[in-house]
Amino acid sequence: MAYLDYVYEVVPSNGNYSWERHNLGMYYSKDLAPKVNYGLSLNMRRQQSWFYDSPKNYAMEEPDELFRLETGGTLSWQMKDRWKLDAGFSIFMASDFKEALDLSEIQHSGKLVLATDIGTTTPNQQLSFGFGYGILRKHPLLYPILSFSRSLSKNINVDIGFPRTTVHYSIDELHEIRTSGSFKGEYTNIHLPVGTPDDLPHGEMRLAQYAIDVNIGYTYKIQPQWYTLIKVGYLIDNTAVITDGQGNIAYELSTEPSVYLSMGLTFKIRD
């Protein structure tokens, strides 16, 4: 299977912080063996951020442009006795690219999850557990992954767990609704000018953004190869801070919970 997608996200002007993002992704997957599947991905993102107020009279350029380039791979192995192993890894650069690249621009994330079908009287019931590495809040860390999924009917599927919970409702072949709640976090290398006020640190710093994302989305199958998505979400504990290379907070930017809107278009190249 292969497909391309484009997604536009925006946090409207709400309080002291807003942003918009343009995401372009390319995905490819293929069976490597009868029970083994691998996937490859490439993603590019551009973000513009506006900070209307911040402590100590500090303000970033308006708007400040941030970029993220990411590539990754997945491997899925359908084992015997109803067991399945999923692994994923990605490497990416997140920066304003105002200066020459160095190794500090490179980040990585990954996961390893083991899943098994449970119960003999209830079909489509699965327990998954494993671990992942990435940013859920302020810093990269190793975190547990645990979920219980079940089909409540031929149209409704639930997946309850950590760090993500999802409910999927397939109305028919053309329409579906999905709601989810998850932790999301990331940091981007930024380069602050020397002339910052009040003798504040300057040079290479990090903008860390994290929140709890609760959303509901609607997908419509326009044609066999074309899909469109619209999603509305709410970012709880929506926070942005600027830190140094050791994770010490230099500035706590004024942020607050925010509503966001996401719209996208997907083209399936091949099944």
Side-chain angles (χ1 to χ4, degrees), residues 34-52:
K35 294 186 178 182
V36 180
N37 178 274
Y38 75 93
L40 301 172
S41 64
L42 177 64
N43 291 274
M44 297 165 283
R45 190 184 76 192
R46 173 178 173 264
Q47 173 177 318
Q48 288 185 294
S49 303
W50 291 266
F51 298 89
Y52 305 114

Side-chain angles (χ1 to χ4, degrees), residues 92-221:
F92 53 94
M93 295 182 293
S95 174
D96 56 11
F97 294 134
K98 291 181 178 178
E99 297 186 6
L101 297 177
D102 56 48
L103 293 179
S104 67
E105 312 278 1
I106 300 176
Q107 304 177 47
H108 60 275
S109 63
K111 69 174 184 178
L112 184 66
V113 178
L114 190 62
T116 180
D117 296 331
I118 57 176
T120 57
T121 59
T122 303
N124 300 320
Q125 190 169 259
Q126 190 175 77
L127 179 66
S128 303
F129 53 91
F131 61 89
Y133 179 81
I135 303 176
L136 298 184
R137 300 292 289 170
K138 299 179 182 179
H139 312 290
L141 52 81
L142 190 68
Y143 58 86
I145 297 175
L146 180 65
S147 72
F148 170 75
S149 62
R150 180 179 178 181
S151 296
L152 300 182
S153 69
K154 66 177 183 179
N155 300 99
I156 302 176
N157 296 281
V158 297
D159 189 342
I160 302 172
F162 178 89
R164 173 185 293 272
T165 292
T166 303
V167 178
H168 174 252
Y169 174 48
S170 178
I171 302 172
D172 53 36
E173 293 183 356
L174 301 180
H175 311 271
E176 64 179 51
I177 295 174
R178 184 186 302 267
T179 181
S180 68
S182 64
F183 292 87
K184 60 186 303 182
E186 62 181 74
Y187 69 78
T188 304
N189 284 7
I190 59 175
H191 301 84
L192 305 184
V194 176
T196 53
D198 300 331
D199 297 323
L200 297 178
H202 58 271
E204 185 174 302
M205 307 289 281
R206 287 177 174 174
L207 170 64
Q209 302 174 92
Y210 57 90
I212 299 174
D213 180 4
V214 180
N215 62 73
I216 183 170
Y218 165 73
T219 301
Y220 173 56
K221 185 177 181 181

Side-chain angles (χ1 to χ4, degrees), residues 3-4 7 16 28-29 41 50 81 89 105 107 109 133 137 139 183 185 209 212 230 237 243-244 256 260 269:
Y3 62 92
L4 302 172
V7 177
N16 299 315
Y28 173 80
S29 66
S41 64
W50 291 266
D81 300 327
F89 182 80
E105 312 278 1
Q107 304 177 47
S109 63
Y133 179 81
R137 300 292 289 170
H139 312 290
F183 292 87
Q209 302 174 92
I212 299 174
I230 183 168
D237 192 27
T243 68
D244 59 22
E256 58 188 35
Y260 73 90
I269 301 173

Side-chain angles (χ1 to χ4, degrees), residues 10-107:
V10 60
V11 169
S13 179
N14 182 12
N16 299 315
Y17 174 48
S18 66
W19 52 257
E20 67 175 21
R21 290 173 177 169
H22 298 269
N23 303 270
L24 180 63
M26 293 170 279
Y27 308 89
Y28 173 80
S29 66
K30 186 178 181 180
D31 290 335
L32 189 63
K35 294 186 178 182
V36 180
N37 178 274
Y38 75 93
L40 301 172
S41 64
L42 177 64
N43 291 274
M44 297 165 283
R45 190 184 76 192
R46 173 178 173 264
Q47 173 177 318
Q48 288 185 294
S49 303
W50 291 266
F51 298 89
Y52 305 114
D53 186 26
S54 59
K56 302 181 181 180
N57 298 318
Y58 174 76
M60 296 175 67
E61 296 178 13
E62 296 186 6
D64 198 65
E65 291 190 333
L66 309 176
F67 301 91
R68 180 183 174 112
L69 303 176
E70 179 176 4
T71 185
T74 60
L75 186 67
S76 180
W77 176 25
Q78 184 63 54
M79 304 163 67
K80 294 181 179 180
D81 300 327
R82 303 187 298 179
W83 288 88
K84 182 181 180 182
L85 182 66
D86 290 315
F89 182 80
S90 65
I91 185 169
F92 53 94
M93 295 182 293
S95 174
D96 56 11
F97 294 134
K98 291 181 178 178
E99 297 186 6
L101 297 177
D102 56 48
L103 293 179
S104 67
E105 312 278 1
I106 300 176
Q107 304 177 47

